[in-house]
Amino acid sequence: MTETLTISHIGGQGDGVARTDRGPVYAPLTLPGETVQATVRDGRAEDVRILTPSADRIAPVSPQYGDCGGCSLQHWAAAPYLDWKRDQVRLALAREGIETEIEPTVATPPGSRRRLALHARRGPDGRAILGFKARRSWRLVPISACPVADPRLVAAIPALKAVAEAVLEHPKSAPSLHVTWTLDGLDVDVTGVERRSGGLSRDAQMRAIGAAADADLARLSLAGETLVMARQPRVAFGPAVVPLPAGGFLQAVPQAEAAMVDRAVAAVQGAKRIADLFCGAGTFTFPLATVAPVLAADASEAGIRALKAGVASASGLKPITAQARDLFRRPFSPVDLKGCDAVVFDPPRAGAAEQSAQIAQSGAAVVVGVSCNPTTFARDARILIDAGFGLERVTPVDQFLWSGHVELVGVFRR
C-alpha cells in the first residue's frame, strides 16, 4: 500500500526517518522536511517518490546515484550535511553523558579518495565487471565514474578488469580489488578468491601477472601475499617515506589524514615522550616524532616492519621505538607507558576499552583519541573521564564523503 510520509530527520546510516504510529519508517535518499509517497514494508520505504522536496536538496553528481550503495547523502547541500555529521558525534557523546566543544566538521573535497574496494563479478555476457554493491543488495553496479575517488583510480578501471578476469577463475570466488594510489602508482590487493579448491591456478596467476604489467601496477597481491611487484609502493607520513605493506591499512583520504594528524601533533606540543598505539605503518608516528621520542605499537608485524624501514628515510626526527603487539589481548599497562606524558591511540571500529582503562591509570597528562566510530569513542572517552581526564574538544572529520560515516579526533587532558 502506498503511504504519504513526512521525513523528520536523518538516521545514523544516512536514511531519512519518518515517524508513524507503527514506529519509524526509513526512507533512503530523502531529507528532513520532505513529504514523500512510498510503499512501506517492514519499516522501510520503497519506490519513494518526492512530493515536496527540501530547499536543501541539490542535484547529485554521480551517474550511479540512486542505484550504487556508496553515497547515501549526495543529494544534500554541504552546510546541513556537515552539520548533521557533527550532530552524530554530539548524539554519541550525549548517550554517555558527555558534553564538550565539538568543532565544525572538517570537509574533504570530491575526487580525493585514494583507496577503493571494487567488487568483481561476471556480467550477463560472461565478462568481468567492476563496481560497487547496489543499495541493500548483493547486485553489482558497474562503475564508469566515481566523484569521490581520485581520478587516477577511475582511469585505471578498464585495465583492472583484465586483472579481475584472471581472479574470477573459480565460480565460487567473489573477489574484491582493493586499489590504492601510492607514490609509486597503483597497489592492488585482491581478497575473496576461493581457496578451498587450491586458490588460483598457475595459469590464472600468470594471466593476472600479465594484466598487472599491462595496467602498470606497482604491485599485485592476493590477501596480503605479493604475486608480482614492479615497484615497491610507498606513502609519505610526515617527513618519512614508508613502504606500504601488501594489504596494509592506510587512511582513505590524504586531506582527512592531514587534518587528524595536525590536531594530534598540536595537542602533544611540549611532551617529553609520546606513545602511539594502534600505529599501523606510522601515520601518526612520524609527525609525532618531530615533537618528542615516540613509543609505537600495533598488532600488524608487517606494519611495524614498514614503520622501521621508514625511519631511515627521514632526518631530524626524535627516536622511534616500535614493536608488534596485540593491544586487545595485551594492552600497554601503566608500567609499559612509564615516562610517556602523552598518548595517541587510533583503534579499529571496535574501539579500545581495555587499552583505555590502562591509559587512564598511566601518568599521561594528554591523550588524543582518533576514531572512525563515534559510539565506541564515546564509550572509551567515558573511561578516561571517569579517571580524571577532561574531554577538551572533539573535531569531526568527513573522510567518507556523502556517506553516513564520520571520523573524529578528541583531545583529553587531566
Side-chain angles (χ1 to χ4, degrees):
M1 186 175 91
T2 300
E3 297 184 32
T4 300
L5 305 168
T6 299
I7 307 303
S8 64
H9 64 283
I10 301 296
Q13 301 301 312
D15 288 341
V17 182
R19 296 189 176 100
T20 73
D21 293 340
R22 304 181 308 280
V25 173
Y26 295 89
L29 309 178
T30 60
L31 293 176
E34 292 188 330
T35 303
V36 306
Q37 274 190 346
T39 302
V40 178
R41 294 188 179 91
D42 299 323
R44 293 202 62 84
E46 301 174 0
D47 303 320
V48 177
R49 184 164 69 92
I50 308 294
L51 300 179
T52 308
S54 165
D56 293 328
R57 178 173 285 274
I58 60 173
V61 293
S62 171
Q64 293 89 219
Y65 170 80
D67 193 15
C68 172
C71 291
S72 57
L73 294 167
Q74 200 178 106
H75 54 287
W76 206 357
Y81 159 74
L82 293 172
D83 286 344
W84 175 79
K85 290 216 166 183
R86 184 186 188 195
D87 201 48
Q88 297 312 293
V89 175
R90 181 190 64 79
L91 291 170
L93 293 173
R95 287 191 287 268
E96 293 288 347
I98 300 171
E99 293 184 1
T100 189
E101 177 190 357
I102 303 176
E103 296 183 331
T105 305
V106 175
T108 56
S112 59
R113 187 165 174 176
R114 63 183 169 191
R115 305 199 78 173
L116 288 179
L118 296 168
H119 303 292
R121 301 289 187 272
R122 295 275 180 206
D125 61 357
R127 301 183 66 180
I129 59 173
L130 285 175
F132 301 135
K133 290 177 183 174
R135 192 171 306 280
R136 296 180 60 81
S137 172
W138 290 104
R139 180 175 57 83
L140 211 60
V141 178
I143 298 298
S144 58
C146 179
V148 303
D150 187 310
R152 293 170 293 193
L153 297 184
V154 178
I157 288 177
L160 291 172
K161 287 182 180 179
V163 177
E165 283 282 354
V167 299
L168 277 166
E169 178 184 39
H170 196 282
K172 291 187 177 180
S173 286
S176 296
L177 277 61
H178 303 269
V179 186
T180 303
W181 185 262
T182 73
L183 296 175
D184 303 276
L186 285 177
D187 183 25
V188 177
D189 184 54
V190 181
T191 61
V193 172
E194 205 282 329
R195 289 180 173 270
R196 291 184 181 179
S197 60
L200 286 184
S201 68
R202 184 60 181 166
D203 284 347
Q205 290 184 33
M206 294 306 297
R207 289 197 300 274
I209 289 170
D214 291 341
D216 192 30
L217 301 186
R219 178 175 58 196
L220 176 65
S221 56
L222 298 177
E225 297 180 6
T226 298
L227 186 60
V228 62
M229 185 165 69
R231 303 173 297 280
Q232 169 64 61
R234 299 169 301 157
V235 290
F237 294 143
V241 176
V242 179
L244 185 67
F249 175 78
L250 183 68
Q251 297 288 352
V253 175
Q255 292 90 334
E257 176 183 287
M260 295 186 285
V261 167
D262 288 349
R263 283 158 177 78
V265 170
V268 301
Q269 291 298 315
K272 294 181 174 60
R273 192 175 189 228
I274 306 166
D276 181 15
L277 308 181
F278 306 96
C279 65
T283 303
F284 291 89
T285 307
F286 292 102
L288 293 171
T290 64
V291 176
V294 177
L295 169 63
D298 193 272
S300 170
E301 293 185 3
I304 294 299
R305 285 196 300 270
L307 191 158
K308 290 179 176 178
V311 170
S313 72
S315 59
L317 296 178
K318 305 296 191 296
I320 295 173
T321 304
Q323 62 175 279
R325 177 162 167 171
D326 187 335
L327 296 173
F328 289 106
R329 295 187 177 186
R330 295 177 56 225
F332 268 26
S333 71
V335 173
D336 297 314
L337 294 170
K338 186 176 181 181
C340 294
D341 51 352
V343 176
V344 175
F345 71 116
D346 181 14
R349 289 189 62 81
E354 293 298 326
Q355 184 59 79
S356 297
Q358 296 299 313
I359 294 170
Q361 299 173 44
S362 75
V366 58
V367 174
V368 179
V370 182
S371 176
C372 59
N373 185 339
T375 298
T376 57
F377 171 84
R379 179 204 63 201
D380 296 347
R382 183 78 264 169
I383 295 170
L384 294 170
I385 291 169
D386 288 347
F389 282 90
L391 179 53
E392 191 174 76
R393 65 183 176 278
V394 173
T395 307
V397 179
D398 186 22
Q399 174 147 233
F400 295 97
L401 183 61
W402 297 320
S403 78
H405 295 290
V406 58
E407 309 222 356
L408 61 86
V409 182
V411 178
F412 302 83
R413 296 189 192 275
R414 285 199 188 274

